[in-house]
Amino acid sequence: MLKYLFAKESEIPQGTTAIFFGISSICWFIIGTGLGSFNAAKLAFPDWYHGLYWLQFGHMRQVHVHAVIFGWIAMAFAASMMYITPALGNTKLWSEKLGVWNCLLYNVGLCLALALLWSGVTSGREYSDHIWPIDLYIAFVMVLPWCVNVWMTIIHRRTQGIYTSNWFFAACMFMTVIVFLVGNLPEFFHLTGLNEAYMTWWFAHNILGLLITPVAAAITYYIVPKITGNPLYSHRVGHLHFWSIVVFYSTPAAHHLMSSPLPEWLKSFASVEGVLILVPAIAYVCNILLTMQGKWSMFVNNVEIKFTITGVLLAIPLNMQGGFQQTRAINWYIHGTGWIVAHAHLALLGFSTFAEAAAVYYGLQVLLRRKLYSLSLANLHFWTLLIGFSLYWTSMTIAGLIQGAAKIYEVPYVDVVIAEHPYMIVRWLGGTLVFLGNIVWLYNMYMTARYGDEVPAGRQPAELAYVR
Amino acid sequence: MAFREYKIGCWMFGIALSTSMFVTIFLPGLDISAVSSTDIALEKQLTYGHESGFSYEDPFLSGAGKPIKVVLTKDPMNGSPMDKTNAYVFEAGTPFPSGLTHTHVLGEKVKNLSESKGRIGSANEDQGAVFLVRLDEASDTPYIENASATRGWTPEKVLAAADQTIMAGSGKTMFVREGCWWCHTLLPEQTQDWQSFGRPPMLGDFNGESPTTFGSDRKAPDLLHVGARNSSREWMMLHFFNPRLVQSHSIMPRYDYLWGDKDAKGNPIDLKAWDEAYMKYAAGETPYPPEVPVPADNSDARYLIDFVLNLK
Ligand code: HEM
Ligand code: HEM
């Protein structure tokens, strides 16, 4: 990497940025899920390891969340955008050099940000835990150069139209910057009280809804048609998806705060808008699944499609659950319980991670021009992820229902803790499976880069038969 | 962007996003900001000070730059007995909370009263000040009184006359730094928590507090009124040192490292030795757990216990 930092733009091979982002994202995936599994162990067995006082749950929890969101998810997005945007514009990335610097400064910034969170230097606001100097660094050094690269690549495209994925990329990066800066206003200008609390969730909700959800979807809009060879089922439905994301997903932030004393109209409004998110959700899922027409065998044979479609299928329960849990009738029962943690992992570890993993698998093969080293290891990775996630989701959902029931019957809280104990252990086992699967993935990708079969120019990795 | 459709699209996008932000940020902002501080909000502001998260005064969240809450039973000026009074001492240089420095935080009526009757306008961070939360009976409105101006109570005199000093402001910093709010909420839910956890907060109860840390996940009891349920300092001490000493099924982490190097008597604390002795006890080899040291007055543990007991 270092040798490219000061190289001339023309000397940097195309795809370098995407490769660096891709490899970094896998490493952060391992780190992030490792931390998650560690935290889960703490919640199951609080005295299991003792003496490591600096590895407190209260410090490590946000490090896990930010390592997976900023390290894994966001970097996998960056990797995908850095190769998908130029491919769809029939051009090359606007500046590989900017991209390489971006990737370096992204990793450095993330290490710094996590180290500060780890040592307890925090703003005390969930999902915008970073202190404001770090927020500014993230916005202007980590995200803005990435935006510039995506936007300029789209502007310099050599096709007439802009494909669906690229609308999403361009618009979502713009919205991310806005959401990041506006969402952190309370810190820059020291807003307080419920204004601050509401803005905290405005930020969190919109990062999930205007960055993570639509970009993950946009990636699948590329991967599925590209690998199956089917054209996207409907661009009209793609339009519907895009516009309803912008209009509906940007509004229900208050549904995260249904039990707080916010103005009642705001909670009702959020609750209605939250159900309307089902419009983009259904449009999207239908569009992708209909694109698969005639190619469903690839769901079994092709590992990228297997990952992508699993992610899309997981989006169905995810969104049904979301629309359901945020109505007033239901929310009071499951708010703040393990149910929400399960929902969060269904969203980020289920739906979005599966979509991104496919894009990173595919992108690295295309860019390195090497066929995946081992299909069996990839399948192993897939199944550890899916089984691990299912254990996680099921156990936390049950734990959440127990907590919900305890709210009604007003049992002493420690009885809830005792009742949840077995589910905490299952969650830990499931999460650990995910972590172990990721190590296999890194090994597989390393071997691919080293020993994978070369993909001849003009061919797709998926077209080649596996030799091993 | 050669296509005309894309120009139109960009405009539509801009309009959609701005409208959305107008409805979800500007309108709620107006509504929330129009609410006056309640007496609870005034007490919280004066107890927790300017900001409990990262700030210039306290970049590493050590609990510096926070006011001290004191309980008075005699008049600091002449020592004569008086009704039990809570006073909030801002020593010279301690930053004031938002309510005293920003115009919109207190709300119109509270602000006018605090200025006319409470004379908060004459308070000055560089010199420090002592504040009280008072109620104007006629209009049933709480307000802040600057006792340094109205009664001549200087921070030094009030600290000298205090029966009890409560470091709840520094304790809130510990609460933020140690991530207690990942497990505990400070928000009894409006629907069904009254019986177990007490009265849910109201709209004006948060004015001026930053961060609110009322939490979104609950893996443990709500703490908003925990001091009213359990006011035993001894229990809190044991529980923070190792929750399994008092509640064998607890999943709460140990906070023994908040004790620092020395206990209240100045004896060094050896966590390793304590842990070894405790593991023997946990394995059933010894009948009693090792003794828990009493935290020193300037230890993080003391701040945290003050904060928790102050949650009434
Ligand atoms: C129709 C779609 C959806 C709706 C209506 C919805 C609704 C909600 C609601 C109401 C909560 C808060 C529940 C509570 O705390 O009481 C929540 C939490 C969450 N949602 Fe969704 N959701 C939807 C889809 C998604 C998607 C697509 C994602 C991300 C890709 C997502 C990610 C999350 C996360 C991470 C949380 C946890 C927030 C926390 O830390 O408390 N959700 N969702
Ligand atoms: C890419 C994968 C993952 C993502 C994106 C992710 C994301 C998140 C998010 C957003 C939260 C906050 C949830 C909330 O506040 O509602 C969270 C919490 C947590 N995650 Fe993950 N996670 C991932 C994988 C894992 C794994 C593999 C484990 C291992 C068991 C794990 C364990 C935990 C634990 C223990 C918490 C704390 C939950 C709590 O406070 O109750 N996560 N994660």
Side-chain angles (χ1 to χ4, degrees), chain A residues 29 36-37 61 64 126-127 345 348 353 392 427 431, chain B residues 217 219:
Chain A
F29 196 12
S37 147
R61 185 192 188 276
H64 158 65
E126 191 170 356
Y127 292 106
H345 285 83
L348 301 182
T353 286
Y392 190 123
R427 181 249 292 262
Chain B
D217 281 346
K219 294 181 270 303

Side-chain angles (χ1 to χ4, degrees), chain A residues 348-360:
Chain A
L348 301 182
L349 173 56
F351 160 58
S352 104
T353 286
F354 278 84
E356 288 131 28
V360 175

Side-chain angles (χ1 to χ4, degrees), chain A residues 330-342:
Chain A
I330 306 292
N331 188 265
W332 69 271
Y333 194 76
I334 44 83
H335 173 70
T337 67
W339 173 288
I340 304 300
V341 177

Side-chain angles (χ1 to χ4, degrees), chain A residues 122-126 128-130 196, chain B residues 53-54 61 176 181 211-213:
Chain A
T122 165
S123 70
R125 300 158 66 230
E126 191 170 356
S128 32
D129 310 69
H130 298 295
E196 178 190 348
Chain B
F54 170 83
L61 282 80
V176 172
W181 47 289
T212 50
T213 51

